[in-house]
Amino acid sequence: MIDVKNPFIQSGLSFQIILIEPENQEIYDVDDDEITVGHASDYLNKALKVISVKEIESELYGLIVRGSNIIGWTKLNNSIKLISKPIDTIRVDLTNFTTPQINRALGFKVDYNLLFQEKTFHLELYIYMKVKF
């Protein structure tokens, strides 16, 4: 959950999230919050950028962007904030690898042994979350 009182959120800086909201939650037009332009189901479990926030009746709304496309405003009740970090190049040790809890929580069904085989990756984000599994 994103804390509306967090100084980083209140600073007005953009940040990234993984969208985890109800499927039928509406996304509103950038300029007119009476017009629905989509639903959260189109972007669930996707990394999105939040370029602006506003608080309406004690609820946090974020103006979400995917790539260079501004999507619209939606509530951010359950979404996870991603935290930028200096980029590290990593290689996965498959002999000791287990699927991360976040991947299971988000329902990613991937053969990681095949995916990570002989590859290096760039780690550029942290995720901080409290989840019961």
Side-chain angles (χ1 to χ4, degrees):
M1 178 180 245
I2 300 170
D3 179 12
V4 69
K5 302 297 182 201
N6 181 309
F8 183 87
I9 301 302
Q10 292 187 345
S11 73
L13 297 173
S14 65
F15 56 97
Q16 290 184 321
I17 62 167
I18 294 177
L19 189 71
I20 303 176
E21 301 298 339
E23 288 184 10
N24 62 345
Q25 180 170 294
E26 295 177 311
I27 299 173
Y28 301 100
D29 184 74
V30 175
D31 299 317
D32 187 346
D33 60 9
E34 301 276 323
I35 299 173
T36 300
V37 295
H39 291 88
S41 60
D42 299 329
Y43 303 98
L44 287 180
N45 303 323
K46 303 278 191 257
L48 304 170
K49 189 171 190 176
V50 177
I51 59 171
S52 185
V53 295
K54 61 184 175 182
E55 191 175 352
I56 300 174
E57 298 177 5
S58 298
E59 295 203 78
L60 181 67
Y61 283 75
L63 181 56
I64 56 176
V65 175
R66 182 146 193 221
S68 60
N69 299 323
I70 297 176
I71 300 165
W73 292 95
T74 196
K75 285 186 214 176
L76 300 177
N77 290 326
N78 303 305
S79 295
I80 300 169
K81 182 181 177 303
L82 301 173
I83 302 165
S84 296
K85 63 172 282 321
I87 296 174
D88 289 326
T89 300
I90 60 169
R91 183 180 272 294
V92 178
D93 177 5
L94 294 175
T95 59
N96 297 312
F97 179 79
T98 58
T99 303
Q101 290 180 336
I102 182 70
N103 292 30
R104 289 192 299 273
L106 294 176
F108 295 150
K109 295 176 177 63
V110 175
D111 180 351
Y112 289 99
N113 287 328
L114 183 61
L115 179 68
F116 293 153
Q117 205 168 28
E118 301 299 318
K119 294 182 182 174
T120 57
F121 297 90
H122 300 286
L123 180 63
E124 57 188 58
L125 296 166
Y126 287 124
I127 298 173
Y128 175 78
M129 57 186 286
K130 294 180 183 178
V131 177
K132 293 181 183 178
F133 294 98

